[in-house]
Amino acid sequence: MKNVSIPIGPQHPALKEPASFSLALKGEKIMGSTVRLGYNHRGIEKGCEDRSYIQALYLIERICGICSHAHSTCFVMAVEEIAGTEVPKRAQYIRTLIAELERVHSHLLWLGVAGHEVGFDTLLMYTWNDREIVMDILAMLTGNRVNYGINTLGGVRRDIADAEIKEILSAIDKLEEKTKYYIQIATKESTLIKRLAGVGILSREDALKLGAVGPTARASGVDRDVRRDDPYLAYGDLDFKVITDNHCDIYGRTLVRMGELMETYSMIRQLISKLPAGPIVAKMPRKIPAGEAIARYEAPRGEDVHYVKANGTEKPERVKVRAPTLANIQTVAKMLEDRYLADMPIVVAAIDPCFSCTDRMIETRAVGSDNASTFSWGELRKYSIEWYKNKGIDFEVLNAKRGKR
Amino acid sequence: MEIENYIVQNLVKQFNVAPDQVKVKRDRRIYVKVDKDIFLKVLDFAINNQKFDILCTITGFDEGDTFGVMYHLAQEKGIMLNIKINIGKKNAILNTITGIFPNADIYERELADLFGIKVEGLKDGIRYPLPDDWPEGQYPLRKDWKVGGNA
């Protein structure tokens, strides 16, 4: 039988973000694969060179909608190192707290996506429902569900009140219970185990050779975690285990992420009990003295690396970002080798890829017009309701039918 | 800082690196500038002798007459060694290190696309990250390339 080459992507229902795969198939077996990325390249590194540090911080936050705090914290740590700014302890703790809450939402999101990709949509509904608990906490603490904007140069922009701490703790208790239930499902539900075990195999040797990071690497027995190995923020003060697993497959990756959630809950409790008093921001100069720094950050998907070079002006000379997916995507071809086509969505999903992020600026242009106009939230809502009405969909009628206002 | 200083001493001894070309900027962060001709030897020494067996990423710089290329290496224990070399802008050619770090592939393609640095020995493959119909000779991360004023 001859090999058949099929393109998948860049836009495809199996993947929620653009990436293009070309698979060589023999029957249903994948004989080889190549991946094409870059559909979401927005020139953010170049963009930073044209912006002041504080503007660049907000742009950097928008690299990704899932792990936005990872990017903004990594960037701001590098800038603060160059400026020699001592960030107040309380700010470090708040940053760490948001970082761990972000990990909770990201891992729960992943579990739901993984469930969806293997046809277990009940799991998607359950996990994403529970994820709302942590999303509400993030919204309460920062004002935003995503792209929190909590970081500023020299510290954080919002303090935490005692009443909020109570809410965090009760949310964590709830989430811990739910996570225990998911661990039970993951380790006992035979249909799920059969679908995940032995799929997407990445040996320890390959994980090391191909530079895998995060849960993808740790599920192949690679004991690496920047939070422990290269401590930053408040991680040096915390007591936690780095979760690893030797299954080397998607089942292992599931166990690692679930185990990490349990560790994260304990870390959040430690952070709250040790939360120091004091200021939340230190003064930073507008002009950052010439110098360079590289920061590493254990994002939910793995090690995030930001390199910043300053030239003494208000704008950075060079900003370089290496997001964890860029490291992990190189392992996908290995995982797909000799597997079945039907495994492809879950294998790709198992590295928890994050090819792009959200773009929040709403600027509209009528076709053929140069006039840009900006909508307020209320106007945009009104516009979209009108737009659907013209298409024959009236939300008022629909809501009335559903017994709502 | 003891281990960091020890690594620096080893580098200075082994390769005659001038003292102002190597710096420990803080705990776990070593920066060294070396001549491009001895780079592969330094890299080999760093990996096999000093256990820097993780390649985090590669950063390119446009520094006027030359391109800078910084290789960010790390040890399992968290110490980073950032090795920087400079290559001439005319005839900018770099040797691939994919034979040592297979994961350098995508980072080297990034250098090729965004700076126009030719990477010798990199096997044929798909470009990253610019689109297939990107005009030739346009390298966005060069300093003389301005947004909106080029393509």
Side-chain angles (χ1 to χ4, degrees):
Chain A
M1 206 188 329
K2 250 179 76 182
N3 282 359
V4 180
S5 167
I6 61 159
I8 296 182
Q11 307 297 349
H12 189 271
L15 302 159
K16 303 299 174 284
E17 286 180 287
S20 168
F21 292 83
S22 171
L23 303 178
L25 295 179
K26 193 170 214 161
E28 283 200 51
K29 273 236 163 124
I30 300 170
M31 307 309 287
S33 65
T34 50
V35 57
R36 169 77 163 103
L37 295 173
Y39 297 98
N40 263 314
H41 185 78
R42 286 148 295 162
I44 284 181
E45 291 181 9
K46 181 80 177 179
C48 287
E49 292 174 13
D50 264 343
R51 285 168 171 78
S52 71
Y53 284 93
I54 192 79
Q55 288 171 326
L57 175 64
Y58 286 88
L59 185 61
I60 291 272
E61 178 122 24
R62 277 146 188 82
I63 287 177
C64 176
I66 304 292
C67 42
S68 60
H69 186 70
H71 287 292
S72 77
T73 309
C74 203
F75 173 75
V76 89
M77 285 194 304
V79 178
E80 284 156 0
E81 186 187 324
I82 300 171
T85 307
E86 185 97 9
V87 178
K89 263 260 145 120
R90 190 175 174 87
Q92 303 272 27
Y93 270 68
I94 293 173
R95 279 181 186 172
T96 318
L97 179 68
I98 303 293
E100 289 308 311
L101 288 168
E102 184 177 68
R103 194 179 316 277
V104 174
H105 107 72
S106 181
H107 279 3
L108 285 175
L109 177 131
W110 179 84
L111 188 61
V113 171
H116 172 70
E117 299 296 4
V118 298
F120 189 5
D121 275 307
T122 315
L123 188 62
L124 167 73
M125 301 299 172
Y126 269 61
T127 49
W128 281 40
N129 186 39
D130 292 340
R131 179 172 165 263
E132 285 305 306
I133 301 173
V134 69
M135 296 306 274
D136 286 347
I137 294 292
L138 283 163
M140 175 188 77
L141 293 176
T142 68
N144 296 314
R145 281 167 59 89
V146 290
N147 292 356
Y148 320 106
I150 188 90
N151 282 320
T152 188
L153 297 170
V156 292
R157 294 172 58 225
R158 277 198 188 199
D159 205 348
I160 293 182
D162 290 343
E164 289 170 337
I165 284 177
K166 266 191 200 143
E167 289 206 33
I168 299 171
L169 287 173
S170 86
I172 292 302
D173 288 345
K174 244 186 265 169
L175 285 164
E176 191 169 29
E177 279 311 304
K178 304 274 186 185
T179 306
K180 279 182 187 157
Y181 175 61
Y182 295 134
I183 292 176
Q184 228 184 339
I185 291 178
T187 50
K188 298 236 165 75
E189 172 62 44
S190 60
T191 48
L192 188 66
I193 298 170
K194 284 200 166 135
R195 189 67 191 88
L196 301 180
V199 177
I201 291 177
L202 183 72
S203 69
R204 182 167 192 273
E205 292 69 43
D206 285 332
L208 289 172
K209 202 173 74 186
L210 298 169
V213 293
T216 307
R218 289 194 283 276
S220 291
V222 179
D223 188 14
R224 283 179 191 165
D225 189 319
V226 187
R227 290 176 293 174
R228 178 199 59 198
D229 304 334
D230 194 353
Y232 55 96
L233 299 182
Y235 288 109
D237 301 348
L238 302 180
D239 182 27
F240 62 98
K241 283 202 300 277
V242 172
I243 307 289
T244 58
D245 190 89
N246 293 316
H247 279 87
C248 303
D249 55 10
I250 300 171
Y251 182 57
R253 274 156 234 155
T254 311
L255 296 183
V256 165
R257 289 194 177 98
M258 294 304 101
E260 283 184 12
L261 278 177
M262 298 304 284
E263 284 300 308
T264 290
Y265 300 141
S266 134
M267 284 154 95
I268 291 171
R269 291 197 185 100
Q270 291 177 48
L271 283 165
I272 286 174
S273 69
K274 291 181 185 173
L275 189 67
I280 56 164
V281 65
K283 210 168 159 44
M284 284 272 285
R286 279 174 69 89
K287 289 182 180 175
I288 305 293
E292 61 187 346
I294 181 158
R296 298 162 91 193
Y297 180 108
E298 191 70 31
R301 283 157 189 76
E303 181 197 18
D304 185 22
V305 181
H306 283 228
Y307 171 89
V308 180
K309 187 175 181 182
N311 55 12
T313 66
E314 292 164 2
K315 295 173 183 172
E317 170 81 13
R318 175 88 171 93
V319 177
K320 162 84 186 169
V321 178
R322 202 294 316 269
T325 296
L326 196 57
N328 280 332
I329 195 72
Q330 310 195 57
T331 65
V332 169
K334 191 85 213 165
M335 295 180 192
L336 287 173
E337 239 174 57
D338 223 20
R339 294 299 313 181
Y340 291 106
L341 177 61
D343 289 341
M344 191 254 181
I346 182 64
V347 168
V348 175
I351 68 160
D352 201 1
C354 188
F355 299 128
S356 63
C357 27
T358 48
D359 188 296
R360 302 261 301 201
M361 174 69 188
I362 299 168
E363 188 182 78
T364 53
R365 272 169 218 271
V367 179
S369 143
D370 286 337
N371 284 335
S373 63
T374 308
F375 275 139
S376 75
W377 179 245
E379 284 164 351
L380 183 72
R381 190 167 178 273
K382 214 170 120 204
Y383 174 83
S384 61
I385 291 170
E386 281 302 311
W387 190 86
Y388 275 105
K389 211 179 243 172
N390 291 336
K391 299 260 166 187
I393 301 166
D394 192 331
F395 286 109
E396 276 176 24
V397 178
L398 281 176
N399 283 339
K401 271 189 193 163
R402 292 174 61 204
K404 284 189 174 174
R405 257 188 304 134
Chain B
M1 293 283 268
E2 252 173 55
I3 310 171
E4 288 89 331
N5 288 328
Y6 181 67
I7 294 168
V8 167
Q9 273 173 22
N10 281 338
L11 280 169
V12 170
K13 221 176 4 188
Q14 193 78 16
F15 297 103
N16 251 332
V17 184
D20 61 330
Q21 299 294 301
V22 55
K23 240 183 245 155
V24 182
K25 290 201 178 159
R26 71 161 170 90
D27 287 356
R28 304 186 296 276
R29 293 290 185 277
I30 307 169
Y31 295 79
V32 61
K33 257 189 207 171
V34 299
D35 195 273
K36 67 177 194 306
D37 298 329
I38 63 161
F39 167 65
L40 287 176
K41 280 185 198 147
V42 178
L43 186 69
D44 183 66
F45 179 76
I47 299 165
N48 295 316
N49 209 295
Q50 306 289 317
K51 292 194 173 145
F52 286 97
D53 42 18
I54 305 170
L55 175 72
C56 290
T57 188
I58 307 172
T59 304
F61 304 88
D62 179 354
E63 297 180 335
D65 300 334
T66 59
F67 287 125
V69 180
M70 192 185 268
Y71 295 81
H72 307 282
L73 307 179
Q75 282 182 346
E76 199 136 286
K77 290 282 163 232
I79 298 177
M80 282 191 92
L81 176 65
N82 303 286
I83 309 175
K84 190 173 177 192
I85 58 170
N86 279 81
I87 54 173
K89 228 175 193 177
K90 274 184 194 161
N91 206 11
I93 297 176
L94 207 61
N95 285 316
T96 181
I97 59 162
T98 46
I100 307 160
F101 288 114
N103 59 333
D105 184 278
I106 206 149
Y107 310 137
E108 288 179 348
R109 286 185 203 282
E110 224 178 334
L111 287 179
D113 251 22
L114 300 175
F115 287 95
I117 296 172
K118 195 168 174 248
V119 184
E120 216 139 73
L122 193 59
K123 58 177 191 279
D124 287 346
I126 303 169
R127 70 184 301 175
Y128 175 80
L130 297 174
D132 294 331
D133 58 355
W134 185 260
E136 223 166 283
Q138 301 286 340
Y139 303 111
L141 280 185
R142 289 191 183 185
K143 287 285 177 193
D144 55 8
W145 197 96
K146 294 279 178 252
V147 179
N150 295 273

